[in-house]
Amino acid sequence: MIALLILLIPGAALAYLSDVAGHWSAVWLSALEARGIIAGDRAGRFYPDDPLTRAELARIAVTGLGYGTEALALQGVPSRFTDVAPDDPLAGYVELLWELGLTEGYPDGRFRPEAPLTRVELAAMLVRAAGLEQRAAVLRSARLSYRDAGEIPDWAVGAVAAAAEAGLMSGDGDGYYRPWALVTRAEGAAAVAKWLDQYGLLFDLEGTLVAFDPREGEGTVRTPMGEEHSISLAVDAAILRGGERVLPPALQVADQVSLILNDAGQVRFVEAWYADLLAEGLEPAGGNGVWATLGTGQRRRLWVQPGALVFVNGRPATLAEALGQGPTYMALDVKTEEVRYLDAVRTPFGGRVAVVEDDRIWLEDGDGFLRYDLASDAILVDAGRRVEFYEIAEGDQVAFALDGDGRITYLEIVR
């Protein structure tokens, strides 16, 4: 019993779950730990692949919803379930799970707190928690495509379909649902984390990292609606990038981040992801929509977040200015696939360099030359690397854009 309590009651500081590194559930479990919903034992172990009991799920779900204090207040109170003793350390969580309408127990009046949870039972609980019972009722006659769909009991078909539709649970990579398989601690905790995330209860701040100083641990996050927030990392902050534990220097400007804050407003947990896309040009698709032409010739419709960072030739611009033919680099929201960062290269002019002198170049033009001056803040690029003016050589093929005064404001050396 003491070991169970150590696993379920979080301490004051992050223990960094020692046995989830590289596990598929690492991001979800680390976020729940940072939120104070789960914890490891004294050695920092969570035992992610062990079976999850019904009472343990009650504790995770109730704490995740923010009712941990209320559950503790019910400790010692006689339970409505005949097999839950008042002195059971998880009795209050079981009782509150019932009061919240997330479980009904069994017809014989038992809860079976120590029984391992099955996947269909977890699906039913998640559907109640997510308020999807009406949707489950609509889907109760759904024809499920799982290879073992015939093993799913009639009472669970709607819940299984609704949970899958909402992205809370799904089958395995081989097309099986495994309805009677026991839920592991990682599976149950991750499912609760996904449910909390979908309802905005897991993270305190989400957006694009637009500035970051790893030495000071300070930066700025821009939300999808364009609001900017200053952030500061706590000394014990846990950082995961692409699902792997990293140190602050691994965070990059334009990363998509989800943050959990401590009581002092400092960042306690960072989840950073990066999903990108390269298009050959953009066309308007109405409102904040664009048609992106990919390298394969395929056209894909994308939505641009209201607060997206938009650049043309490395400078802030409007979405309208980014439309047109030319390489367009985009970072996408990993949850919605909306564009949150866009950098378009538009170089309508080009030629071969004949002469390089001071801050101007001459290009070959038939039997003559064309002169172009560089703007004082011109951006010069070679193979994606910023270069200095003196690195432009005679004979280089260049593509460039001009400012309103006819000066080169952006130039790429074409190799």
Side-chain angles (χ1 to χ4, degrees):
M1 190 67 70
I2 292 174
L4 175 63
L5 284 173
I6 291 172
L7 281 168
L8 292 177
I9 299 178
L14 287 180
Y16 303 135
L17 302 174
S18 61
D19 56 352
V20 303
H23 198 273
W24 66 266
S25 64
V27 169
W28 296 115
L29 297 185
S30 298
L32 289 176
E33 183 195 21
R35 181 56 80 187
I37 296 172
I38 63 171
D41 62 11
R42 295 189 185 280
R45 295 184 296 265
F46 184 72
Y47 306 98
D49 297 316
D50 284 359
L52 180 71
T53 69
R54 290 167 54 83
E56 288 173 337
L57 178 69
R59 195 272 176 206
I60 294 174
V62 168
T63 305
L65 285 172
Y67 292 107
T69 301
E70 290 82 352
L72 291 175
L74 292 174
Q75 291 297 130
V77 176
S79 175
R80 70 188 64 252
F81 298 107
T82 59
D83 59 347
V84 178
D87 59 351
D88 187 316
L90 298 180
Y93 297 101
V94 171
E95 193 68 15
L96 199 55
L97 192 74
W98 182 89
E99 291 188 6
L100 292 171
L102 303 186
T103 187
E104 296 177 352
Y106 289 89
D108 61 3
R110 293 184 299 165
F111 182 76
R112 301 179 188 174
E114 300 304 319
L117 195 73
T118 65
R119 284 175 52 81
V120 286
E121 290 175 325
L122 177 59
M125 191 284 290
L126 289 173
V127 164
R128 293 193 190 99
L132 297 173
E133 292 171 291
Q134 290 186 355
R135 183 58 181 163
V138 172
L139 296 173
R140 65 182 181 274
S141 299
R143 299 188 61 177
L144 302 174
S145 60
Y146 301 113
R147 298 173 68 176
D148 55 354
E151 299 177 21
I152 299 174
D154 292 342
W155 63 264
V157 170
V160 168
E165 185 179 74
L168 300 175
M169 288 184 68
S170 61
D172 62 22
D174 296 322
Y176 291 91
Y177 189 78
R178 301 181 295 116
W180 300 110
L182 301 184
V183 175
T184 66
R185 293 170 59 81
E187 287 174 333
V192 171
K194 292 176 184 178
W195 153 46
L196 295 174
D197 183 34
Q198 287 196 11
Y199 287 85
L201 300 174
L202 186 60
F203 299 109
D204 296 308
L205 179 63
E206 298 185 87
T208 297
L209 191 65
V210 297
F212 185 67
D213 182 347
R215 293 170 298 180
E216 300 295 331
E218 298 178 347
T220 303
V221 172
R222 185 183 180 94
T223 71
M225 297 306 296
E227 300 172 342
E228 295 193 352
H229 299 263
S230 297
I231 62 168
S232 176
L233 296 181
V235 293
D236 65 342
I239 305 172
L240 283 83
R241 189 172 192 270
E244 301 292 332
R245 286 288 303 277
V246 297
L247 297 175
L251 292 175
Q252 302 291 322
V253 169
D255 275 349
Q256 180 180 350
V257 294
S258 299
L259 311 177
I260 295 175
L261 310 180
N262 61 20
D263 292 339
Q266 295 177 310
V267 177
R268 181 177 173 86
F269 173 81
V270 181
E271 175 192 350
W273 296 95
Y274 204 87
D276 56 4
L277 183 70
L278 181 64
E280 294 184 346
L282 298 180
E283 300 175 40
N288 275 0
V290 294
W291 285 106
T293 302
L294 308 184
T296 59
Q298 175 190 3
R299 296 175 77 238
R300 179 177 173 183
R301 188 174 187 177
L302 299 169
W303 297 102
V304 181
Q305 292 179 347
L309 292 161
V310 179
F311 299 88
V312 173
N313 294 340
R315 290 181 170 80
T318 65
L319 179 58
E321 292 171 328
L323 300 175
Q325 294 301 308
T328 305
Y329 179 77
M330 293 172 284
L332 307 182
D333 188 302
V334 296
K335 296 177 181 178
T336 66
E337 294 194 341
E338 294 176 336
V339 178
R340 57 186 181 83
Y341 178 96
L342 188 156
D343 195 352
V345 176
R346 302 291 180 258
T347 52
F349 306 100
R352 186 174 300 278
V353 177
V355 179
V356 180
E357 183 181 73
D358 296 329
D359 289 333
R360 61 183 61 91
I361 60 175
W362 280 263
L363 301 183
E364 297 175 1
D365 181 35
D367 295 331
F369 303 95
L370 294 175
R371 167 185 158 175
Y372 293 95
D373 293 332
L374 265 69
S376 59
D377 60 348
I379 296 175
L380 310 177
V381 179
D382 183 5
R385 177 179 63 91
R386 291 285 293 270
V387 297
E388 299 298 330
F389 177 71
Y390 64 81
E391 296 181 67
I392 302 174
E394 295 178 2
D396 280 345
Q397 187 73 28
V398 296
F400 55 93
L402 304 177
D403 64 15
D405 295 323
R407 299 172 301 180
I408 294 177
T409 183
Y410 178 89
L411 180 144
E412 279 192 1
I413 300 174
V414 181
R415 300 297 185 184

